[in-house]
Amino acid sequence: MSRTVYVNGAYLPEEQATVSIFDRSFLMADGVYEVTSVLDGKLIDFDGHLARLERSLNELDIPKPEAFDDLLAIHRELVARNEISDGMIYLQVSRGSAGDRDFVFPDPEVVKPTLVLFTQSKPGLAESPAAKSGIKVISIEDIRWGRRDIKTVQLLYPSMGKMMAKKAGADDAWMIEDGFVTEGTSNNAYIVKNNTIITRALSNDILHGITRAAVLRFAKEAQMDVEERSFTIDEAKAADEAFITSASTFVMPVVSIDGVTLGEGVPGRVAPRLREIYLEESRKAAI
Ligand code: PMP
């Protein structure tokens, strides 16, 4: 079925939606994005994603798209037009097209940013079988640039990391810098030791996950101990449990790291409980 997508003010069938070959996201990965989950036709953590989008744009001096204040309405319109019950909405803003290739940023008064949104339907998104079995991760070196806090569309290395994981018979990769885990290819990474949840502190080294913020808040509200600090891959392999969070996987247990089985090789107590709380609270707060 052809989707209805949004491009620069217009709702179009996906076959008719186009952007210029000179668009800077195409030529230079000069763009940022957000992914918001939809459950029961409602948006999860929308305000958090919008706030991070604004921050990403500011950090890169990309002008806000004219429709910035209408983004909630646009998300809702796409959910309605595509009859999305469960799934995701992908949003991308690029610095636009100057009609040629040039390293110098175009004049923001002349060149307007490109705004694209499309839906991805994933029926039963919250009932993923992987959440019951847990996933396997491998570790790879983190060779990304130094501003991982900005959600740019430079996803080549994370994409390669995912392929390295697949080749190794695993599901995802955790990236390592100076011996410490930064994050997963498209998610934040956590371990649990003696009932304490440990995850790297926020800095330019990792994306400030919207799901991370919510999960840590819920964990603290549930009187769970949380330590925001770096951990090594060896510490992770000796942990009682591990898990990842992201907008599309929510809380996902990790049961093996580099072939080392954690605990009993099945999800432990903490990650499934956090997933349950996150889904319940997020559904309540969905808009
Ligand atoms: N880290 C990286 C590198 C990511 O790509 C993502 C997903 N976009 C996350 C963390 C998780 O962020 P969020 O919870 O906002 O989806």
Side-chain angles (χ1 to χ4, degrees), residues 138-213:
I138 59 165
S139 61
I140 61 173
E141 197 188 340
D142 195 339
I143 59 167
R144 297 173 301 161
W145 78 325
R147 288 303 306 274
R148 305 160 191 157
D149 57 310
I150 308 173
K151 198 165 168 60
T152 75
V153 297
Q154 301 178 65
L155 296 176
L156 179 55
Y157 187 66
S159 185
M160 289 167 72
K162 197 88 174 170
M163 294 311 293
M164 291 182 231
K166 281 209 178 307
K167 215 170 161 185
D171 304 290
D172 202 3
W174 280 10
M175 293 179 279
I176 314 293
E177 190 167 59
D178 302 328
F180 292 94
V181 175
T182 52
E183 58 189 334
T185 59
S186 59
N187 44 67
N188 289 115
Y190 307 71
I191 56 172
V192 180
K193 188 73 182 178
N194 300 328
N195 287 317
T196 298
I197 299 162
I198 302 159
T199 194
R200 194 177 177 106
L202 297 181
S203 70
N204 292 352
D205 298 338
I206 60 168
L207 188 74
H208 302 189
I210 302 306
T211 319
R212 177 190 183 281

Side-chain angles (χ1 to χ4, degrees), residues 33 35 89 130 136 157 193 230 257 261 273 277 279 287:
Y33 75 108
V35 176
I89 303 198
K136 296 176 182 173
Y157 187 66
K193 188 73 182 178
S230 298
I257 302 174
T261 301
R273 178 74 191 120
I277 299 173
L279 283 170
I287 58 172

